[in-house]
Amino acid sequence: MLKYVVLIKKTDDGYSAAVPDIPECTATGTTVSEVEDLIYQVIQKHLDTLAKENRSLPPAVTESEIMIFVD
């Protein structure tokens, strides 16, 4: 099982998603749910293409942590 960090960011028009370990994989959508679905599809298609071409899958090296700061 592969796990990749997906970054979702609010934009003026909705949301964008990016995968730091797979720079080719990005998506935009009007809702968080839509962008989550789209980025999943983009990642899966990219990984399927790499596998069909007998190319290495990108290693998942990015980690994430949520830190809370009280002001």
Side-chain angles (χ1 to χ4, degrees):
M1 175 189 330
L2 294 170
K3 292 183 180 182
Y4 292 102
V5 171
V6 174
L7 303 175
I8 297 174
K9 180 179 177 181
K10 177 79 172 118
T11 67
D12 291 339
D13 300 325
Y15 295 86
S16 67
V19 184
D21 293 328
I22 316 174
E24 302 89 350
C25 292
T26 61
T28 59
T30 55
T31 65
V32 171
S33 179
E34 179 183 19
V35 82
E36 286 174 340
D37 290 342
L38 291 171
I39 196 66
Y40 183 88
Q41 293 172 34
V42 169
I43 294 166
Q44 189 63 60
K45 185 174 181 177
H46 183 74
L47 296 179
D48 289 346
T49 299
L50 291 176
K52 286 178 187 174
E53 295 174 353
N54 292 320
R55 294 172 53 201
S56 299
L57 299 180
V61 296
T62 301
E63 295 182 22
S64 67
E65 182 68 37
I66 295 175
M67 298 182 142
I68 299 172
F69 297 88
V70 178
D71 54 350

